[in-house]
Structure formats: structure tokens, C-alpha cells
Amino acid sequence: MDTPSDALPTHLAGLADKARDYVKAATSHNTTRAYEADWRHFNAWRRRQGLSHFPANEPRIVGLYITACASGAASADRKPNSVSTIERRLSALSWGFRQLGENFDRKDKHILAVLAGIKRTHARPPTQKEAVLPEDLRAMLATLEMGDLRGLRDRALLLIGFAGGLRRSEIVGLDCGAKQTEDGSGWVEIFDKGLVVTLRGKTGWREVEIGRGSTEATCPVAALQTWLKFARINHGPLFRRVAGAKGVGADRLTDKHVARLVKATALAAGVRGDLSEGERKEKFSGHSLRAGLASSAEVDERYVQKQLGHASAEMTRRYQRRRDRFRVNLTKAAGL
């Protein structure tokens, strides 16, 4: 039986292909990669349970799957999935069934009831990564070797990530200019007073302004210019792999590099030395840079919200680790 796209007139085949490309572009590469892994996970679980002959989109099958995820029975390692992971897996199922043109009602009452029970039983308060504060960042920068290209690159990366309040995917997705690569998700423009980062987000484009620092040692703009100069980069990906004696490669870094870099430099600098090494490894990630800016910038909250690209002030407050939670004291305001 022909699919709807097969039944289209042949002169529309090119448009149909372009439409499929746009559908792919609607979801970020990282999200698509995660969905694909979750989709494979679901189908592998179905095969192991002998459920391949049942419709995959049947609510009771999906209910059994998320129950297995919550109990640890869905994977070989027997490790239970968190509520957030289970919710992501459900999103992946919605995505997967759409690719096949099949209906899937994620809000089916049976699925919702099972998910509600999982949340009530297993949900925990959200865990937050440690914020990298300015004094921490300076100590982390001091652990980098400034005499080689890796050190220059990582210094610029940490400072740009912190000052821009950028996500790790946003950092590594930057190009030197607009429309220079197919996989780029933004670019930078350098001016006398700072630089402007243009980013493509879920709801469109946004601009992030990064001003020059008070000293050369902590200036993100100067750090970026130094990296670009010595790496001899003027086109394409901003942050690239450094291949030892071969110099700077053409490939951009992955977002995992940002997480590893923040973790490694925080440990080397002795940040949160009051904790064990194991605890410290769990505390820091690429998210720590974003939380650090939100927690440190002594400006009106609206400016921090804009820099982070948040739709609400409440979301921004979740990132502010050391804000004064009791600035508004309703107890005293009520007369007690």
C-alpha cells in the first residue's frame, strides 16, 4: 500500500524531501540522538518480553514498559530510571511513533495513572549542580597551561561559557560567523566593548551580550581573541579539537568536552575541598558555569533572566544558588 508521500505527484518529490529535512531540523541533534537511543531501548525491551506481536502503541504495553523502567527491570544493569528519564522515554515514544505515522496517546488515562504512581513513589527533589563562582573560575583557569593551544582554547571556553550563561551545547555549537557551517547553532561578533553571541533556540534566535572583563586575565573577549589568533581560526567552528603536534583540527568539540573540562579543572583547583573526591565529581558539570553566572551577577534579575534565555523569573531563580531567599520576609510583613 502506498504511503501518502508516495502518492504525491512526482513533481512534488523535491518538496516532500525538503519538508522531511525541516521536520528533522525541528529537533536538536542531541535530542534526536537521545530519542533514537530511547526508541531502541523500548523495542529491545519488547522483544525480550515476547511482546513483539502486540501493538507497540497499546497503552498497557507502554504502562508495563515505564513500570519496568521505574523498577530497574527494563535494562540489563537493573538500575531504576529516574522520573525525568522515564518522562524523556515517553517523549521518545511519541517521537518514534510519529516517524512511523502511527497514533500514540501519551495522555491515555492508563499511562497517566501508571506515571502518577511512579512519581508519587519514586520522585525526589531536583538535584542541582554546584555553581562555579568567580573565585572558583579564577582558580580553575590557573590550572590550565597557557603555553599551549589546549590551554588557550579551554580558557576561552570556560570564560565564554560563564560570562554568557551558555549551555554546553550552545558553547560548542558556535561558529566564527553567520551561516558558516551546517551543524552550527550560533555565531559570535566581536566589538570594541564586547562580543555578541547569536544563538538558535527552541523558539527562535536570541542574542547574548558578553562585555569585556575588568582585567585581561579574566576577560572572555580577550581570551577568545587570543585563542583565535594562535589557533589561526577565522572561519567555521569556534572551539575545535587540538591534535597534539598536528595542531588544530577542523572538527568542533562535542558538548561532553565542556562537562569534562569543568569537572577536571574544578577538581584540580580544589573547589569544594570540604567534600570527598567522589562527591566533588558529582557536583560539577557544564551546567555549573550557567548556574555560576546566575548566582554571581549583582544586577537586576531581569538581566540575568534575559542572558540565560529563560521565559520566567522563577526558572532563573532555580539557578541562583546563593541568592537571598529571605529578602522578602512575609512573617514580619504579617506582623509577627
Side-chain angles (χ1 to χ4, degrees), residues 110-312:
H110 177 72
I111 296 173
L112 289 179
V114 175
L115 183 61
I118 290 172
K119 288 181 176 181
R120 189 176 183 87
T121 305
H122 299 290
R124 297 182 179 88
T127 57
Q128 293 183 319
K129 294 297 182 181
E130 190 81 8
V132 167
L133 303 177
E135 56 271 25
D136 301 327
L137 184 58
R138 284 190 283 268
M140 290 161 63
L141 294 172
T143 69
L144 298 173
E145 177 56 60
M146 292 297 99
D148 65 28
L149 286 170
R150 279 196 184 90
L152 294 178
R153 177 199 64 195
D154 290 344
R155 174 172 174 260
L157 190 155
L158 289 173
L159 285 167
I160 292 291
F162 179 91
L166 303 180
R167 299 175 178 87
R168 61 185 192 178
S169 60
E170 292 172 339
I171 298 171
V172 299
L174 293 175
D175 289 338
C176 294
K179 299 179 180 179
Q180 291 185 346
T181 66
E182 291 185 2
D183 63 337
S185 57
W187 65 87
V188 299
E189 296 174 89
I190 300 176
F191 301 95
D192 289 341
K193 293 184 178 181
L195 63 86
V196 174
V197 179
T198 302
L199 298 167
R200 181 175 58 212
K202 295 179 180 178
T203 58
W205 294 93
R206 69 184 182 95
E207 291 185 344
V208 173
E209 294 84 16
I210 298 178
R212 292 185 180 272
S214 56
T215 69
E216 189 81 6
T218 58
C219 176
V221 184
L224 181 60
Q225 289 175 312
T226 300
W227 156 243
L228 294 177
K229 175 183 176 181
F230 285 98
R232 299 180 181 179
I233 296 173
N234 52 36
H235 188 276
L238 204 61
F239 294 113
R240 309 181 184 188
R241 297 181 182 277
V242 177
K246 295 182 180 179
V248 179
D251 297 334
R252 70 175 74 248
L253 295 174
T254 69
D255 59 351
K256 291 181 180 179
H257 175 83
V258 180
R260 288 194 296 263
L261 175 63
V262 172
K263 193 183 297 286
T265 52
L267 290 173
V271 180
R272 287 303 309 268
D274 56 307
L275 301 176
S276 69
E277 183 171 335
E279 290 174 316
R280 291 164 67 208
K281 285 181 178 178
E282 292 298 318
K283 282 285 186 181
F284 294 97
S285 73
H287 214 67
S288 297
L289 297 175
R290 196 164 157 82
L293 177 77
S295 301
S296 307
E298 300 293 340
V299 295
D300 190 297
E301 193 175 70
R302 292 174 298 169
Y303 296 110
V304 179
Q305 181 181 338
K306 177 181 180 295
Q307 191 83 343
L308 299 185
H310 287 155
S312 68

Side-chain angles (χ1 to χ4, degrees), residues 31-105:
T31 300
T32 299
R33 186 171 56 188
Y35 283 175
E36 288 173 345
D38 287 339
W39 181 251
R40 290 192 299 270
H41 185 270
F42 169 63
N43 286 296
W45 173 83
R46 284 178 57 229
R47 287 192 298 272
R48 289 197 304 272
Q49 307 307 315
L51 296 172
S52 298
H53 60 289
F54 286 94
N57 56 355
E58 188 176 321
R60 61 174 177 156
I61 300 299
V62 176
L64 287 173
Y65 172 64
I66 61 176
T67 299
C69 289
S71 64
S75 302
D77 60 8
R78 312 295 295 179
K79 184 178 180 181
N81 290 152
S82 66
V83 171
S84 61
T85 297
I86 292 171
E87 290 183 321
R88 190 200 67 217
R89 292 198 192 282
L90 282 172
S91 296
L93 295 190
S94 298
W95 171 87
F97 288 121
R98 280 200 307 272
Q99 308 309 304
L100 298 176
E102 296 181 5
N103 293 324
F104 174 63
D105 183 9

